[in-house]
Amino acid sequence: MTFEKKPISAFQLPPVSHLLQHNLTPDPVADSVKAFSEVLATTPSVQRRSRLLKSSAHFSYVSPLPISFPYRIEIPEDDSEADKSGYIERWLSRREPREERPGVKGSPHLKKYSSTERDTLPEANILALAPTTLTDYFPQLDVGDSFEVLGEPALSAKHSNALDDKSEEQGTAVREELVNILSGRNVLFSLPTEESSGASDMPTPYAPWSLRYSGHQFGVWAGQLGDGRAISILEVAHPNDPESTYEIQLKGAGRTPFSRGADGLAVLRSSIREFLCAEAMNALHIPTTRSLSIVHIPDLPVARETMESASIVARVAPSFIRIGSFEALNPPQDLFFFGGGGQQQADYEALRILGEWVSRRVLKLNIPEGEPWGKALVWECARRNAKMAAGWQAYGFMHGVMNTDNISIMGLTIDYGPYAFMDVYDSKHICNHTDQEGRYAFELQPTMILYALRALLTSLAPLIGAELETGKAVGTDWASSVSAEKIKEWSAKAQELSNDLEVEIQDVFSAEYWTLMRKRLGLRTVEPADESQLIRPMLRLLEEQGLDFHRTFRALCAFRPTQPGDETWDAVAKTLAGKDSIDDASSKEWKEWLSIYSQRINRERSSWKDGDAWIDDRAQVMKAANPRFVLRQWLLEELIAKCEKDPDTGKRILAKVLKMASSPFEPWGAEEGSQPESELSEETREERRYCDVGEKQMLGFQCSCSS
């Protein structure tokens, strides 16, 4: 279907019933968009200072401001001591988006704002744009000449990167506006005016925001955390399905009330890692947030372990609400805080408001009015996260930081930091070198999902207990006149569901995991012995022999279940074992396993086409489940270094890696060709290299949380 293209400033807002900020409770410091606009004019520091929000608040209005922190404010010597705070407020206010700017195309809902000072911020450049996200979520978005500026995706140097001379002025204007908005320089608002006050047909007030949440970090309660460097700027309804809305969030767009001691910025390294991995996970059919763009700000320095340059990744999801969003509203009491910003007391009314919103709009549970929803919310979140974790385990993905504030209420993979895909199979591998105790090791990830869901059950326990007692949904101010003893009684009643929750997670995880593993092995039917006789023994061989996880599955695509003496058995066994001699003990172990595998394949022969073509058909089906290209650590490190050294060249390589990650099952690098490497083009040879395992010293490479 063809859609009329619109620049981002011309997008219309979904109905009020679909907008987070009109259904949840804002920070009372700016309890409306109008109040927020006044804050920007008078006391803008309140949105940049780390502070505890009121217990009833779910979010805080905040505008993007990607500048260095601590702010370099030089107060004139003749300023009186009493007016220093006023000078700081005026300095910040001049940098807030308070001046309307014309959009490329007008919108009945949103206006574009900036300021003279913001216009002088360091220049931002488009570094990456995800075509798959545009197709899936924003087919109506006009990106102007962005793809012409990015150039042809290519790994090799023999490609021109010149902008097409025929690029029209309109295309340039659309791209520049998109970059300005996705870099935080310009901000989309719908600000109420005196004329619109009380008018029913006027645009809906709207402004950017950051979420409040808390969480357990490495198993220790951390108190208030929140979006310390993420600011949501827009919600957009899909043109084909107005009920499906998608939130655009800028990561690295400046400080918020949740930044604590950090600068609110992101570096090119971490932005590239998140941008690519979200799209790679989507291509593997694992639930995930999505990536829209990377905007690079080369002249904005950011202090990490070294000085790096700033960038902002725009990511997309139906919702960024986390389990920690619920923990913030009914936190554990009297616990030691680990690195957070303190913690408010429980607010049971805020818990109800958030739960109703998540049930109705985020998870879309379709529960009749007045019927209990608390348990259903937890169980739906559990099922979604169990399926997500099964995808992680089946495709060797390691998240690295599975704190409860990093677990999506929708069961989406979120917050890509020190992640890794498995190379040499090690069930105990720890991808995050900060995780010294191995809490988030590969084999423990399903257990950590269970831990997070128990935390969600605990947060909602008093509400669920009340619903269990009455058989009805809780109403407004449901806990306002209830004693603390009654709250504890309700909570205890709900906690009795913990074992049932564990069983649900285990059942859903197991069913999904074994389904995916059979799919990777090209099996269409289910046999009870698959787990014990086929899949677990294979993983044991991988681990004992130190073999590459993904290359093994891809190699099995070439296996033909014929007689054991067939030469293809020898070839596959040697490939799997990584040995030249078929007499090697490792190869013999593989031949024994292949014998069991062959018999298993032949038992489901009738589920495939008639004739000899079924073996080739089966091989193609397997290749569609086992990636040729894997987003490996060595590759990411090389790509990041190239983009940091020369962004103009790096962005073409980045685009090609994105293309490969978005189509990982394709035979990149002439995988199925027979010609010698010397006859391949430079681009094809590079594709082949990018599909390789890399240097030995990079196997099992660990990142830190600062990634």
Side-chain angles (χ1 to χ4, degrees):
M1 181 177 292
T2 302
F3 299 94
E4 179 188 356
K5 297 291 185 178
K6 301 177 182 179
I8 193 169
S9 63
F11 275 21
Q12 297 186 10
L13 292 173
V16 168
S17 60
H18 294 26
L19 299 176
L20 178 146
Q21 62 188 257
H22 285 275
N23 290 273
L24 299 184
T25 305
D27 175 10
V29 169
D31 60 3
S32 66
V33 173
K34 182 179 181 181
F36 179 56
S37 66
E38 294 169 356
V39 164
L40 296 182
T42 58
T43 55
S45 69
V46 73
Q47 62 175 326
R48 312 295 174 196
R49 293 198 309 264
S50 292
R51 56 189 174 82
L52 280 178
L53 269 62
K54 188 176 179 180
S55 62
S56 61
H58 299 112
F59 70 94
S60 176
Y61 289 113
V62 58
S63 64
L65 184 62
I67 62 175
S68 295
F69 182 85
Y71 301 138
R72 293 166 176 78
I73 305 175
E74 297 181 4
I75 300 177
E77 293 182 1
D78 58 353
D79 255 37
S80 67
E81 183 73 22
D83 196 39
K84 283 186 176 180
S85 61
Y87 184 90
I88 292 170
E89 298 293 0
R90 292 190 295 275
W91 187 93
L92 286 170
S93 182
R94 290 196 299 272
R95 287 155 179 81
E96 295 296 347
R98 299 176 50 231
E99 302 169 15
E100 187 175 340
R101 297 283 192 266
V104 173
K105 183 178 180 180
S107 166
H109 288 190
L110 298 165
K111 303 297 181 184
K112 188 172 67 175
Y113 288 81
S114 187
S115 71
T116 302
E117 293 285 350
R118 291 175 84 91
D119 292 342
T120 64
L121 292 178
E123 182 179 1
N125 305 308
I126 187 76
L127 191 77
L129 196 60
T132 47
T133 302
L134 290 171
T135 299
D136 293 345
Y137 291 165
F138 310 117
Q140 76 277 41
L141 177 59
D142 186 352
V143 299
D145 62 6
S146 295
F147 287 112
E148 288 84 353
V149 169
L150 291 171
E152 180 183 356
L155 302 177
S156 60
K158 295 182 179 180
H159 286 78
S160 171
N161 194 42
L163 179 63
D164 187 348
D165 291 337
K166 296 180 181 179
S167 180
E168 298 180 358
E169 184 177 339
Q170 176 73 6
T172 300
V174 169
R175 183 220 342 133
E176 290 177 345
E177 178 180 85
L178 181 68
V179 170
N180 282 336
I181 290 171
L182 296 182
S183 68
R185 176 183 290 216
N186 293 168
V187 181
L188 297 176
F189 280 113
S190 178
L191 299 177
T193 63
E194 293 296 329
E195 294 78 14
S196 67
S197 179
S200 60
D201 59 341
M202 296 307 293
T204 302
Y206 197 80
W209 75 94
S210 292
L211 281 177
R212 170 196 165 202
Y213 45 84
S214 299
H216 287 83
Q217 298 193 324
F218 293 92
V220 180
W221 180 246
Q224 177 179 285
L225 298 165
D227 285 332
R229 57 174 176 173
I231 300 173
S232 295
I233 62 167
L234 187 61
E235 290 154 296
V236 180
H238 194 283
N240 261 352
D241 180 12
E243 288 301 306
S244 295
T245 56
Y246 301 102
E247 187 176 318
I248 301 176
Q249 186 178 82
L250 305 184
K251 187 173 182 178
R255 278 182 61 85
T256 77
F258 312 107
S259 296
R260 290 166 282 166
D263 55 20
L265 302 175
V267 296
L268 185 59
R269 167 173 46 92
S270 61
S271 298
I272 288 173
R273 286 178 59 87
E274 171 143 1
F275 177 83
L276 287 174
C277 197
E279 293 309 289
M281 293 288 274
N282 178 67
L284 294 172
H285 312 297
I286 298 172
T288 179
T289 58
R290 299 291 298 277
S291 300
L292 177 59
S293 66
I294 300 177
V295 173
H296 186 211
I297 312 176
D299 294 328
L300 177 56
V302 181
R304 294 295 182 259
E305 294 176 5
T306 61
M307 293 303 295
E308 302 183 48
S309 60
S311 67
I312 297 173
V313 60
R315 57 187 188 179
V316 182
S319 174
F320 288 96
I321 292 174
R322 302 116 185 284
I323 285 178
S325 303
F326 287 87
E327 288 187 285
L329 305 175
N330 184 21
Q333 300 299 316
D334 304 320
L335 290 182
F336 173 75
F337 289 94
F338 175 73
Q343 179 61 57
Q344 305 87 338
Q345 294 296 309
D347 192 306
Y348 300 119
E349 183 61 9
L351 188 69
R352 177 192 67 81
I353 293 170
L354 177 62
E356 288 184 350
W357 166 256
V358 168
S359 298
R360 183 180 73 253
R361 276 299 311 163
V362 179
L363 299 179
K364 301 180 180 178
L365 296 182
N366 197 27
I367 295 173
E369 187 76 23
E371 293 296 312
W373 50 261
K375 178 184 174 183
L377 186 158
V378 175
W379 257 245
E380 178 66 12
C381 181
R383 286 188 287 267
R384 291 180 181 225
N385 276 284
K387 284 188 174 183
M388 176 197 71
W392 291 4
Q393 302 306 109
Y395 280 94
F397 174 78
M398 292 161 281
H399 185 278
V401 197
M402 294 175 64
N403 300 329
T404 56
D405 58 294
N406 292 339
I407 305 297
S408 160
I409 206 71
M410 295 190 71
L412 305 174
T413 312
I414 192 172
D415 291 341
Y416 292 91
Y419 69 83
F421 283 95
M422 187 73 73
D423 35 52
V424 172
Y425 186 72
D426 176 6
S427 61
K428 294 179 171 53
H429 183 64
I430 304 163
C431 67
N432 178 3
H433 74 63
T434 309
D435 184 12
Q436 297 181 0
E437 295 182 358
R439 177 179 178 84
Y440 301 136
F442 177 68
E443 67 178 1
L444 295 179
Q445 291 187 137
T447 303
M448 292 301 101
I449 288 294
L450 175 59
Y451 178 91
L453 267 296
R454 281 176 172 159
L456 178 62
L457 176 62
T458 298
S459 299
L460 279 164
L463 185 148
I464 293 172
E467 291 188 335
L468 290 172
E469 181 176 290
T470 64
K472 300 178 181 179
V474 297
T476 304
D477 295 326
W478 61 282
S480 60
S481 59
V482 175
S483 67
E485 289 73 20
K486 189 62 176 178
I487 293 290
K488 290 180 180 179
E489 178 187 328
W490 282 338
S491 297
K493 184 67 175 177
Q495 292 288 7
E496 294 175 3
L497 300 171
S498 182
N499 289 338
D500 293 342
L501 177 64
E502 180 175 350
V503 169
E504 181 75 7
I505 292 172
Q506 290 175 341
D507 287 349
V508 173
F509 172 85
S510 295
E512 183 72 6
Y513 176 72
W514 298 120
T515 295
L516 291 173
M517 293 301 281
R518 287 189 183 91
K519 183 178 180 181
R520 296 201 71 177
L521 288 172
L523 300 175
R524 285 185 165 179
T525 60
V526 176
E527 290 188 7
D530 288 343
E531 175 185 345
S532 62
Q533 294 185 9
L534 203 62
I535 301 173
R536 289 192 186 278
M538 178 189 176
L539 295 177
R540 177 185 60 79
L541 286 176
L542 288 175
E543 190 150 23
E544 289 178 353
Q545 297 183 18
L547 303 180
D548 187 81
F549 186 63
H550 289 287
R551 290 190 79 174
T552 299
F553 279 101
R554 190 74 176 185
L556 280 173
C557 298
F559 177 65
R560 305 176 76 84
T562 52
Q563 295 300 316
D566 191 297
E567 63 181 13
T568 62
W569 280 53
D570 291 349
V572 171
K574 285 190 289 186
T575 300
L576 294 175
K579 307 291 183 181
D580 293 329
S581 173
I582 196 60
D583 295 325
D584 187 274
S586 298
S587 295
K588 288 181 178 179
E589 283 190 292
W590 275 109
K591 289 193 74 173
E592 292 172 1
W593 183 87
L594 288 172
S595 177
I596 298 171
Y597 184 40
S598 177
Q599 295 172 45
R600 174 67 177 85
I601 294 170
N602 283 308
R603 285 199 296 273
E604 61 172 36
R605 167 73 182 81
S606 61
S607 66
W608 297 88
K609 289 181 180 179
D610 293 333
D612 294 336
W614 76 277
I615 294 179
D616 293 331
D617 290 343
R618 184 180 172 280
Q620 293 306 312
V621 169
M622 277 193 71
K623 286 183 178 180
N626 293 293
R628 160 75 167 158
F629 174 83
V630 179
L631 198 62
R632 298 179 186 270
Q633 298 286 58
W634 76 264
L635 182 157
L636 286 165
E637 291 296 302
E638 179 180 297
L639 172 62
I640 290 165
K642 289 181 177 180
C643 288
E644 289 176 334
K645 182 179 180 180
D646 182 4
D648 283 338
T649 300
K651 66 187 179 184
R652 293 187 298 107
I653 302 173
L654 174 57
K656 183 58 178 283
V657 173
L658 172 64
K659 187 175 182 179
M660 296 173 75
S662 300
S663 301
F665 308 109
E666 296 297 314
W668 298 104
E671 178 192 26
E672 299 169 348
S674 58
Q675 64 268 49
E677 186 158 327
S678 60
E679 296 180 6
L680 300 176
S681 68
E682 182 181 350
E683 184 70 13
T684 303
R685 290 198 300 273
E686 278 294 277
E687 288 177 4
R688 182 169 291 184
R689 186 174 73 87
Y690 270 55
C691 292
D692 207 346
V693 296
E695 297 295 329
K696 186 175 181 180
Q697 64 266 26
M698 288 300 295
L699 299 179
F701 179 81
Q702 293 177 305
C703 291
S704 70
C705 288
S706 66
S707 298

